């Protein structure tokens, strides 16, 4: 069975508080991560929480990148979901790890859209 | 170890083409799924692809919902990521299953943000 997409779920620990808590920095890093992976950015939206934390998503032609940050914990939950052969989600993930200066990363890749074989229709 | 978030990854198969290919319908269903789960909607963005398919994300106070549709396959990749005790991601997932009239759903829940125990710092 072939899959339609690759979805990397990454847990970034030990990141810098001041980066994780800055909407504009997070937004720029996320957009650049998409571009770094060769993706085409379509839309993006980011939101700053009070007293701290940023959530945001970059919609790309090849699916999306998402982030939620807990600056007080030095933690960011990152998703990089890509479709097609052109884009490698790990390129974006590695870029994010570097730019957030993560001290520890736990990441896993999940296949999305495993195609279910169509049942043969037999006309009796 | 406690987790910060719950992330449901759902593969919706056998969905209706006309719903999956309609940006406004997909957007409405996704926003209502967030509300159905008791989440607070902060931002949303949706994009229609040519010749078919919709991608979109709803940023909620409790994290996000995301969708990518392949109308020609009757398939949608759905993510419901929530934080806190108030919101149950499965409520949103079940709502989406119903509204997209999915014939088959494969869904799994992943814990996000497992906290790494801090190493004790000993001053010798």
């Amino acid at each position: 069975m072939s899959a339609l997409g690759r979805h990397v779920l990454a847990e970034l620990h030990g990141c810098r508080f001041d980066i994780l808590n800055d909407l504009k920095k997070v937004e720029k890093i996320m957009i650049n991560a998409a571009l770094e992976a060769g993706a085409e950015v379509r839309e993006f939206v980011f939101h700053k929480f009070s007293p701290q934390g940023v959530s945001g998503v970059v919609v790309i032609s090849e699916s999306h990148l998402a982030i939620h940050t807990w600056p007080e914990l030095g933690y960011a939950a990152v998703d990089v979901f890509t479709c097609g052969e052109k884009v490698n989600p790990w390129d974006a993930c590695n870029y994010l790890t570097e730019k957030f200066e993560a001290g520890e990363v736990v990441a896993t890749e999940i296949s999305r859209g495993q195609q279910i074989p169509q049942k043969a229709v037999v006309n009796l």
Side-chain angles (χ1 to χ4, degrees), chain A:
Chain A
M1 294 199 296
S2 65
L4 293 171
R6 304 170 66 188
H7 189 163
V8 173
L9 295 89
E11 316 286 304
L12 275 55
H13 296 276
C15 303
R16 270 180 50 186
F17 180 98
D18 61 320
I19 300 177
L20 292 187
N21 203 37
D22 186 320
L23 184 143
K24 282 294 165 197
K25 284 183 183 163
V26 172
E27 182 179 284
K28 184 178 174 188
I29 289 170
M30 289 290 285
I31 290 170
N32 283 341
L35 298 174
E36 190 75 13
E40 185 184 21
V41 174
R42 293 286 192 157
E43 319 267 357
F44 57 88
V45 61
F46 285 79
H47 188 86
K48 176 76 169 67
F49 290 97
S50 178
Q52 54 210 1
V54 173
S55 283
V57 181
V58 181
V59 176
I60 54 179
S61 295
E62 301 82 2
S63 292
H64 77 268
L65 289 79
I67 189 167
H68 304 285
T69 76
W70 280 258
E72 70 278 21
L73 300 174
Y75 167 72
V78 167
D79 289 87
V80 184
F81 184 167
T82 67
C83 299
E85 300 298 314
K86 196 172 69 80
V87 179
N88 183 345
W90 290 99
D91 290 342
C93 188
N94 292 338
Y95 180 87
L96 294 170
T97 297
E98 179 194 331
K99 294 301 177 187
F100 288 118
E101 302 183 22
E104 180 157 347
V105 177
V106 182
T108 186
E109 179 176 332
I110 293 176
S111 291
R112 301 298 300 266
Q114 295 280 4
Q115 290 309 289
I116 297 173
Q118 297 298 307
K119 290 188 181 109
V121 177
V122 182
N123 293 315
L124 298 175

